[in-house]
């Protein structure tokens, strides 16, 4: 499945935080934090999360926001459970969800009253006092600034794809695909069959094959079949027609044509020279 080249992506996230002074966090597809610049959560939010109930509410709010963005397949802006503004941008590689970029913990003009009312939910008087103090220190962020920041992050997501900072890694799925092909060379291994076997779209199978094999799946299947045919020709006395059947070719003449194109010799002559 796809993942991030974390060293380069982390540098990009750091740059966004340094330049904008706005918290930008990278999440994986399962809503877990992958990178957060110097644990750059604002002091107000860090204090909120010292209360166990509100820590869970923060997490639930973030996850809900990411789910909405995933459903929309686009940018989603919302207020967290405390009333601060958050923006989520889903990240896709082809049609596969990879993760999310979130910018937030932003105080918009006029929101202080709502947030102050929510402070009454905290049972500890000292924590309420400290939260009120931190809230007063927070910078107001205009809606225009939030919109501009969202556009910048969307461009960064496009940059990730352009620079191939999202790529397929060898995972159980890719291993299973490779193993399935090698174990079923005598069977039908067309695109439709493989997509159905692994529940993949054609474009996803194409991307997975290129990342795993460096070529399309059809070319890889052909390469594997020719390699197995060479083994059978050199290690057994099977007739050419039987070799062809064992590597998935029902037409011996077509097998001979494909084999000659790949090796420079027809199967019978190739066997004699080995």
């Amino acid at each position: 499945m796809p993942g991030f080249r974390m060293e380069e992506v982390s540098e990009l996230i750091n740059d966004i935080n340094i330049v904008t002074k706005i918290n930008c966090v990278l999440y994986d597809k399962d809503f877990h934090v992958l990178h957060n610049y110097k644990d750059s959560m604002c002091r107000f939010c860090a204090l909120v999360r010292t209360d166990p109930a509100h820590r869970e509410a923060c997490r639930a709010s973030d996850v809900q926001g990411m789910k909405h963005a995933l459903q929309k397949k686009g940018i989603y802006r919302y207020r967290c459970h405390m009333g601060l503004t958050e923006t989520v941008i889903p990240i896709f590689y082809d049609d596969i969800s990879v993760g999310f970029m979130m910018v937030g913990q932003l105080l918009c003009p006029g929101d202080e009253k709502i947030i102050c009312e929510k402070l009454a939910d905290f049972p500890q008087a000292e924590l309420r006092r400290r939260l009120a103090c931190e809230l007063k220190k927070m910078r107001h962020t205009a809606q225009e600034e939030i919109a501009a920041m969202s556009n910048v992050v969307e461009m960064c997501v496009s940059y990730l794809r352009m620079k191939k900072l999202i790529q397929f890694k060898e995972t159980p799925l890719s291993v299973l695909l490779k193993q399935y092909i090698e174990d079923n060379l005598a069977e039908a291994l067309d695109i439709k069959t493989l997509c159905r076997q692994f529940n993949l779209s054609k474009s996803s199978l194409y991307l997975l094959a290129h990342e795993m094999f460096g070529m399309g799946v059809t070319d890889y299947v052909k390469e594997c079949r020719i390699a197995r045919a060479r083994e059978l020709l050199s290690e057994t006395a099977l007739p050419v027609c039987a070799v062809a059947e064992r590597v998935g070719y029902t037409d011996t003449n077509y097998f001979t044509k494909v084999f000659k194109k790949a090796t420079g010799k027809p199967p019978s002559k190739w066997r004699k020279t080995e």
Side-chain angles (χ1 to χ4, degrees):
M1 295 301 290
F4 297 99
R5 285 165 47 189
M6 282 307 301
E7 184 176 352
E8 295 98 324
V9 175
S10 296
E11 288 182 5
L12 179 63
I13 298 294
N14 293 346
D15 290 343
I16 294 173
N17 280 271
I18 291 169
V19 171
T20 66
K21 310 299 182 186
I22 293 176
N23 189 39
C24 180
V25 182
L26 179 70
Y27 289 81
D28 67 15
K29 65 181 181 64
D30 297 313
F31 318 119
H32 299 123
V33 174
L34 285 178
H35 186 71
N36 186 4
Y37 175 64
K38 293 185 178 179
D39 193 23
S40 56
M41 183 181 296
C42 72
R43 289 179 61 82
F44 178 83
C45 290
L47 277 174
V48 167
R49 294 197 178 202
T50 60
D51 179 85
H54 283 275
R55 181 168 59 249
E56 290 302 315
C58 282
R59 170 68 179 160
S61 177
D62 288 346
V63 170
Q64 192 64 27
M66 286 183 271
K67 286 182 177 179
H68 277 296
L70 188 60
Q71 187 176 17
K72 286 183 61 179
K73 291 192 173 182
I75 190 168
Y76 179 68
R77 189 176 303 155
Y78 65 100
R79 282 190 173 87
C80 72
H81 85 292
M82 287 301 297
L84 297 177
T85 297
E86 312 268 11
T87 301
V88 185
I89 297 94
I91 304 171
F92 292 95
Y93 190 56
D94 190 50
D95 58 349
I96 300 173
S97 171
V98 178
F100 306 86
M101 274 195 189
M102 181 181 289
V103 291
Q105 303 172 2
L106 303 176
L107 177 62
C108 294
D111 287 347
E112 294 97 327
K113 183 178 179 180
I114 297 173
I115 297 173
C116 285
E117 290 173 355
K118 292 178 180 291
L119 297 185
D121 295 335
F122 290 82
Q124 300 177 17
E126 176 59 20
L127 180 55
R128 291 198 300 270
R129 185 193 66 79
R130 293 175 63 193
L131 284 167
C133 289
E134 291 300 331
L135 181 61
K136 289 180 181 179
K137 297 177 185 177
M138 291 185 70
R139 180 175 71 89
H140 285 179
T141 305
Q143 291 293 339
E144 294 82 1
E145 188 176 352
I146 293 173
M149 181 62 203
S150 300
N151 291 336
V152 169
V153 175
E154 281 194 294
M155 287 188 283
C156 289
V157 170
S158 297
Y159 175 83
L160 294 181
R161 290 190 289 265
M162 182 182 70
K163 289 293 186 179
K164 297 183 179 180
L165 300 183
I166 309 167
Q167 58 184 197
F168 276 89
K169 300 175 181 179
E170 184 164 296
T171 64
L173 177 60
S174 59
V175 171
L176 285 173
L177 174 63
K178 183 175 185 290
Q179 193 65 52
Y180 182 84
I181 290 172
E182 293 176 354
D183 289 347
N184 293 277
L185 292 175
E187 309 300 327
L189 292 173
D190 55 272
I191 300 295
K192 185 177 180 180
T193 298
L194 293 173
C195 286
R196 184 171 59 248
Q197 176 69 27
F198 292 96
N199 194 28
L200 292 171
S201 66
K202 289 182 180 181
S203 56
S204 296
L205 179 63
Y206 172 84
L207 289 169
L208 181 59
H210 271 270
E211 287 295 332
M212 183 67 183
F213 311 129
M215 63 184 75
V217 68
T218 301
D219 289 337
Y220 180 71
V221 169
K222 185 186 297 184
E223 186 177 272
C224 288
R225 283 174 164 160
I226 296 302
R228 180 68 58 80
R230 285 176 170 177
E231 291 176 7
L232 292 172
L233 289 167
S234 62
E235 297 173 7
T236 74
L238 288 171
V240 171
C241 61
V243 171
E245 289 180 359
R246 290 200 180 189
V247 296
Y249 292 94
T250 57
D251 185 331
T252 304
N253 290 330
Y254 181 66
F255 165 68
T256 299
K257 180 180 178 180
V258 172
F259 189 91
K260 182 178 180 180
K261 184 176 181 180
T263 66
K265 297 178 182 178
S268 55
K269 289 188 177 180
W270 190 91
R271 170 178 267 165
K272 290 178 181 178
T273 59
E274 289 300 306

